[in-house]
Amino acid sequence: MRMKKSKEWTLGFGEIKYLFFNKKRCKKCGIKMKKVTTEQYVGIKKWVDDEGIKSESENYKVQYYYHCPKCNKTYSLEELASRKE
């Protein structure tokens, strides 16, 4: 039996707003940045549902970064969302 994979995100309101609505342009050179998604293994998560069925899954924490190919600089989503325009 193959174990299920679960993912979790911790994004604040500003990060969600930036992710969906802001243009992803480098503040230094103005080039469009590329989104980089990372998944960090957290561990096995176990739980019992309302019907008493036991389940477990491999849990991963997902983080987003943006990379400027011209400047070769990587920014975290948190860093970009906290900047004042």
Side-chain angles (χ1 to χ4, degrees):
M1 181 172 100
R2 185 169 178 216
M3 190 172 301
K4 294 180 182 180
K5 184 177 180 181
S6 64
K7 298 179 183 182
E8 64 181 54
W9 293 261
T10 39
L11 300 172
F13 178 74
E15 295 167 334
I16 293 170
K17 183 181 168 195
Y18 186 89
L19 186 65
F20 290 107
F21 300 109
N22 289 47
K23 292 187 179 191
K24 284 63 170 189
R25 298 239 174 238
C26 180
K27 300 297 180 188
K28 281 185 165 182
C29 64
I31 299 293
K32 184 176 178 182
M33 296 187 287
K34 306 262 186 216
K35 183 166 87 170
V36 179
T37 305
T38 62
E39 294 181 3
Q40 180 183 6
Y41 180 73
V42 178
I44 304 288
K45 186 174 183 179
K46 299 179 183 183
W47 69 91
V48 178
D49 67 9
D50 295 338
E51 298 169 356
I53 298 172
K54 295 180 181 178
S55 298
E56 60 182 36
S57 66
E58 292 180 340
N59 199 18
Y60 291 84
K61 182 178 180 183
V62 179
Q63 293 181 315
Y64 297 113
Y65 297 92
Y66 282 91
H67 179 77
C68 176
K70 186 175 179 183
C71 299
N72 200 28
K73 179 135 174 72
T74 302
Y75 301 95
S76 69
L77 182 60
E78 182 180 9
E79 181 182 358
L80 292 168
S82 67
R83 285 186 175 179
K84 300 294 181 203
E85 296 287 328

